[in-house]
Amino acid sequence: MKQAIAVLQLPGSNCEWETARAIARAGGNARVVRWNEPAEVLDRHAGYVIPGGFAYQDRVRAGAVAARLPFVQQVARRARQGAPVLGICNGAQVLVEAGLVPGMREDALDLVLGPNRMMGRDGYYSRWVLLGAGPAAERCLFTRGVGPRLLPIPMAHGEGRFATRDPIVAERIPSYVALRYCMPDGMDAIEFPHNPNGSIASAAGITNEAGNVLALMPHPERAILRAQVPEELGSFVRGGPTEDGPGLGIFRAMVEFLEEA
């Protein structure tokens, strides 16, 4: 039997079942685990995904309350032992608030997810963006197979801007960027709308030093089929409409890592 991957369902999660289906299409064994189950249940799983949503209504800061749950702290402990952990959108916010990414300093938050900075508007924003490999792509188990391709993936958030006030962290953060927002020619997206939130270093996804944790703001589970990609971005994806989409590789990399382990 394949090793099980836990998809955490927190109060306010709304993408857990789409995420579980993405893992299943990638060949994995996914189980949705609710926040009110005993935390030790998580030890029966080999990998973990914290999906999108609005955990605890994003009170204080997005992901801040959820990151302090014993349930999530158990995932943090497993991450430090080397288990693969993926946080998508709200899940990425939880991982940042838990101090797991980039994890430069123990028991300290190196980054926050700030409100989007967008020309002519503010608040929640949704669109398709292009992602490319960042400097840490080969180190991160989720992205080492991306190569030179550009991946069209949808984003949908109000607080997706990776940011820091620490100049030392700001200087080092590019080396932790696994996926970056790109222009159609592959160059870094600096300005809105190709960089949809003003994130530091054009960061869409940031990993840790070991490469087993990824905090990713766009939603790969919404692009697991070629048919889900808009026609104007179809040239970035090979194959027919029923074939795999650009987001599936993130989940397949996780499944393959566990099979090899």
Side-chain angles (χ1 to χ4, degrees), residues 132-149 151 174-180 205-214 249-250 253 257 260:
E138 286 300 311
R139 186 172 84 241
C140 178
L141 71 88
F142 297 94
T143 57
R144 58 182 55 151
V146 171
R149 295 177 298 153
L151 308 177
S175 65
Y176 290 85
V177 175
L179 288 171
R180 58 193 172 87
I206 291 182
T207 190
N208 60 341
E209 188 65 42
N212 65 307
V213 181
L214 177 64
I250 301 290
F257 173 83
E260 292 169 1

Side-chain angles (χ1 to χ4, degrees), residues 31-248:
R31 177 176 179 266
V32 175
V33 181
R34 292 170 59 86
W35 79 97
N36 55 4
E37 296 187 46
E40 54 267 26
V41 169
L42 293 171
D43 285 338
R44 304 172 193 167
H45 298 78
Y48 307 87
V49 182
I50 306 178
F54 301 91
Y56 292 93
Q57 301 175 328
D58 284 346
R59 295 180 182 181
V60 185
R61 287 187 309 275
V65 176
R68 286 151 183 81
L69 292 178
F71 189 68
V72 172
Q73 289 300 311
Q74 187 84 339
V75 173
R77 182 181 64 81
R78 294 283 289 120
R80 295 184 179 104
Q81 294 173 345
V85 179
L86 172 64
I88 302 170
C89 198
N90 192 228
Q93 295 160 340
V94 172
L95 294 182
V96 168
E97 290 287 340
L100 288 176
V101 289
M104 296 180 188
R105 299 169 296 181
E106 190 173 351
D107 300 324
L109 298 186
D110 299 312
L111 293 174
V112 297
L113 271 303
N116 298 343
R117 286 183 177 169
M118 303 176 290
M119 185 181 300
R121 60 172 295 165
D122 57 18
Y124 185 88
Y125 185 58
S126 176
R127 66 166 281 145
W128 283 75
V129 292
L130 292 175
L131 305 184
E138 286 300 311
R139 186 172 84 241
C140 178
L141 71 88
F142 297 94
T143 57
R144 58 182 55 151
V146 171
R149 295 177 298 153
L150 293 182
L151 308 177
I153 304 287
M155 53 74 60
H157 55 250
E159 299 176 38
R161 177 171 52 89
F162 287 104
T164 182
R165 290 183 175 179
D166 188 323
I168 297 176
V169 173
E171 183 180 355
R172 294 179 58 194
I173 205 63
S175 65
Y176 290 85
V177 175
L179 288 171
R180 58 193 172 87
Y181 297 112
C182 289
M183 303 293 291
D185 62 2
M187 299 296 290
D188 287 357
I190 306 300
E191 298 179 349
F192 183 81
H194 295 287
N195 182 331
N197 48 44
S199 186
I200 186 174
S202 303
I206 291 182
T207 190
N208 60 341
E209 188 65 42
N212 65 307
V213 181
L214 177 64
L216 178 63
M217 285 308 301
H219 284 268
E221 81 282 4
R222 299 179 185 178
I224 62 170
L225 295 174
R226 169 66 177 79
Q228 293 171 302
V229 180
E231 288 186 8
E232 63 268 24
L233 297 176
S235 61
F236 292 99
V237 187
R238 297 175 182 172
T242 61
E243 296 186 25
D244 293 345
L248 193 65

